[in-house]
Amino acid sequence: MNLHHENYATPPAHAVVTLQGDSRQIYGFTAFPLAAPIGGAGICIFACPPKDPEAFAPSWWTPLYVRGSCNMGDGSAMPRGILEQARWMGATHVLVHFCDRGDEARHAIAEDLIAALRPPLNAEGRRAAA
């Protein structure tokens, strides 16, 4: 296995992720490498592997940015510079929860997860990327 593959492969045990929102609702996500072509409506989370894989955390992944979108494959739907900021912070994957129940539902799920996970780029990154 080459180094490129090691950096971007999703560990099989961490390819399916459940995350709990602030409301205690559980959401299912699938992990994809950042370069994977993802389309459709849903919630995406830019994430990186943990700095200490042995430390206890709600998920193996460290969330950096959460966003609901009607078309996750449309790069223009993301705030300017957010993907670059996430990569700079170590993002290697995007966690995806497909949701075609409308913008209101996607926004509510994203806000529920932001409140629970407190991803650094949702607050700080928006100001830095602007």
Side-chain angles (χ1 to χ4, degrees):
M1 187 177 340
N2 65 34
L3 182 61
H4 176 73
H5 182 72
E6 289 177 11
N7 285 338
Y8 294 98
T10 305
H14 306 293
V16 177
V17 181
T18 56
L19 297 172
Q20 187 173 35
D22 198 46
S23 68
R24 300 287 188 219
Q25 178 70 36
I26 303 288
Y27 305 100
F29 285 81
T30 304
F32 295 94
L34 276 181
I38 299 165
I43 293 82
C44 61
I45 301 175
F46 294 136
C48 63
K51 292 184 183 5
D52 179 6
E54 301 300 317
F56 173 78
S59 166
W60 188 79
W61 298 101
T62 300
L64 301 172
Y65 182 74
V66 176
R67 171 78 179 215
S69 177
C70 63
N71 183 2
M72 292 181 287
D74 181 7
S76 66
M78 292 291 160
R80 189 175 61 97
I82 213 70
L83 179 57
E84 291 77 18
Q85 285 279 83
R87 281 189 175 129
W88 182 80
M89 292 179 72
T92 58
H93 287 74
V94 60
L95 309 180
V96 176
H97 173 80
F98 293 99
C99 174
D100 62 357
R101 293 181 288 153
D103 286 334
E104 193 173 304
R106 285 187 293 277
H107 179 73
I109 293 169
E111 291 301 318
D112 191 25
L113 289 165
I114 290 166
L117 302 173
R118 302 181 196 275
L121 289 176
N122 279 90
E124 223 171 279
R126 283 189 262 198
R127 289 190 297 272

